[in-house]
Amino acid sequence: MPSATERLNDILLELPKYKSQWQLNVANPYVRAYDLAVENFNRETKAQAERNRLAAELFVFAASILTGSVMMAAFATTSVRVLAGRAMLSMVCNNNLNRTFELMHVAANNKVLMFALGGILDEAKKLANKQVTSAAKSLTGSAPIAASPTALNYMTRLDDFINANHICVHNFIQGVRDDQSINEANKSKLADLARGIPFCNPPAGRRVDEQKLSQKMELLFYMTAVLDSDKLVTYAPATGGTVGGMGRDVEYGRKAIPQMPRAGDYPKEIAPKFVGRPFVPYDPGQRIEYDNIGSGIRDRINTLSMQTGNGRFYPAQNFAEKILIDPTSHVQMVKAEQVINRLTNDARPRQLTDVRMI
């Protein structure tokens, strides 16, 4: 039977192949799907300012929802740290990632390391904690990340992540092999355990349907726009005190709504209350209004929603209605949240070495 050192050397020889398989079968098709989704999104979204505002958040959101493997889930945890967008979007991403790793019984502070060492982590710490700690240093960096929604930025960040994990696993195996304080039996045990870690179990063939994945990503991009479209407006009926206010409500304030649509504390509409005071006869009420994202984008959302098995998103409208009426309501807000949750659950890996068709 080969010695522990020989077996550990065999694993080291295989690591470049594992790295290439992760890049070829998961990372590269994932990025191509992302690139197509962004291209389609940019073509559909006509308002440049709106596109620029959303674009910075697209990559983080998609990577945090459509994970499909522990590698993408672990990668997404690093992406959330550079999320430049809304607090609500960050909350959605973090909640999804927490649920993903809770399913695998992984402690929150070990998410990134779980792709490198996976299920052997706790046992490895018992037998070779010094080597675990040393290897993990390759996964941490203090330099700021230049985040951008471009496919090139996406690819290089994924490459960096895979390379860092490659180095981490290599350093761990090499450190165990060369550590004289670990006896032969424990080295052999660690060699057995190492065969089961996620990095050493890449998919042997392509597992990503790029066309379907790009449709899901693009739909998610629009779902963020829908979720961001609701505004809480504080108002009261006009008193006729000014020419400009004749017959119009007086708007006192308009602000974004941070709660998710199905949250128990989501704002309720409140009618203004007549109190009869001179000059200010009403206490203000509040209502929900929605930014109009455009009929063309609504059509695209309907197409993508049906293509991805989520059914029609907006109600059917004739030509005139599409131009004159925005049908967005709380129903669409709730649907957007449901679509995100459905795509999340479909893409969530069920075990550390699982790579799902996403």
Side-chain angles (χ1 to χ4, degrees):
M1 180 175 176
S3 68
T5 296
E6 290 173 327
R7 296 172 64 201
L8 292 167
N9 280 335
D10 288 342
I11 295 173
L12 290 174
L13 290 173
E14 293 289 305
L15 291 183
K17 182 184 76 171
Y18 300 150
K19 172 178 172 287
S20 296
Q21 287 176 308
W22 279 113
Q23 289 175 318
L24 180 66
N25 297 327
V26 179
N28 290 355
Y30 199 97
V31 171
R32 285 192 293 269
Y34 169 81
D35 190 46
L36 178 59
V38 172
E39 181 182 354
N40 288 335
F41 176 83
N42 287 344
R43 182 164 52 248
E44 290 293 332
T45 310
K46 304 301 182 183
Q48 182 69 40
E50 177 70 6
R51 182 173 75 234
N52 289 344
R53 185 184 62 78
L54 289 170
E57 300 166 347
L58 302 187
F59 156 60
V60 172
F61 191 59
S64 302
I65 298 299
L66 299 173
T67 54
S69 67
V70 69
M71 182 190 81
M72 292 307 304
F75 174 60
T77 65
T78 66
S79 299
V80 171
R81 296 173 194 166
V82 297
L83 181 66
R86 303 177 301 282
M88 181 180 70
L89 184 57
S90 181
M91 178 188 72
V92 171
C93 294
N94 279 308
N95 285 346
N96 170 54
L97 293 170
N98 287 338
R99 287 194 296 270
T100 297
F101 284 97
E102 284 168 3
L103 186 68
M104 301 173 191
H105 308 290
V106 175
N109 60 338
N110 289 334
K111 288 176 183 176
V112 177
L113 191 57
M114 286 308 293
F115 174 57
L117 300 182
I120 80 164
L121 188 58
D122 290 338
E123 192 65 23
K125 285 182 177 180
K126 297 175 186 176
L127 302 174
N129 189 49
K130 179 175 69 174
Q131 300 305 332
V132 172
T133 302
S134 176
K137 291 179 181 177
S138 62
L139 296 175
T140 59
S142 57
I145 298 173
S148 160
T150 66
L152 177 61
N153 185 279
Y154 193 167
M155 185 73 257
T156 55
R157 288 178 61 189
L158 255 177
D159 277 346
D160 286 351
F161 184 77
I162 294 174
N163 286 329
N165 277 273
H166 182 193
I167 293 168
C168 177
V169 177
H170 185 282
N171 287 349
F172 172 71
I173 300 297
Q174 187 179 60
V176 169
R177 182 196 65 186
D178 298 338
D179 192 337
Q180 300 302 314
S181 67
I182 304 175
N183 61 39
E184 182 75 6
N186 285 340
K187 286 184 180 182
S188 184
K189 185 174 183 180
L190 286 165
D192 287 337
L193 292 170
R195 290 295 183 185
I197 68 179
F199 187 86
C200 293
N201 284 272
R206 186 70 56 82
R207 296 296 300 275
V208 176
D209 186 322
E210 296 178 28
Q211 185 66 36
K212 289 182 179 179
L213 178 59
S214 71
Q215 292 170 352
K216 293 176 182 179
M217 284 183 171
E218 189 184 352
L219 179 59
L220 282 172
F221 299 163
Y222 296 123
M223 293 300 94
T224 69
V226 171
L227 285 179
D228 194 39
S229 69
D230 57 345
K231 300 293 184 290
L232 184 63
V233 178
T234 306
Y235 73 102
T239 62
T242 65
V243 174
M246 291 288 288
R248 300 178 184 176
D249 290 340
V250 178
E251 185 175 310
Y252 294 107
R254 176 182 296 262
K255 62 181 180 180
I257 299 174
Q259 294 92 335
M260 292 297 283
R262 293 192 294 176
D265 60 346
Y266 190 87
K268 301 289 191 299
E269 296 202 353
I270 302 172
K273 182 179 180 180
F274 181 75
V275 292
R277 289 190 297 263
F279 306 112
V280 188
Y282 287 89
D283 280 342
Q286 62 184 35
R287 64 181 175 226
I288 312 298
E289 294 186 3
Y290 304 92
D291 297 333
N292 190 338
I293 62 177
S295 61
I297 292 178
R298 290 196 294 270
D299 284 344
R300 181 63 178 165
I301 290 174
N302 273 337
T303 298
L304 290 168
S305 186
M306 289 185 286
Q307 285 177 337
T308 55
N310 290 284
R312 190 179 185 91
F313 191 83
Y314 288 102
Q317 292 179 293
N318 61 37
F319 180 76
E321 288 173 335
K322 285 183 179 180
I323 296 175
L324 299 173
I325 302 172
D326 178 2
T328 304
S329 68
H330 191 68
V331 171
Q332 278 66 48
M333 303 297 296
V334 170
K335 279 186 178 180
E337 185 178 354
Q338 290 171 334
V339 167
I340 291 170
N341 289 336
R342 190 173 298 119
L343 292 178
T344 294
N345 292 330
D346 289 346
R348 181 171 289 130
R350 301 298 187 258
Q351 57 188 11
L352 287 169
T353 56
D354 189 17
V355 178
R356 299 173 62 81
M357 177 66 75
I358 51 178

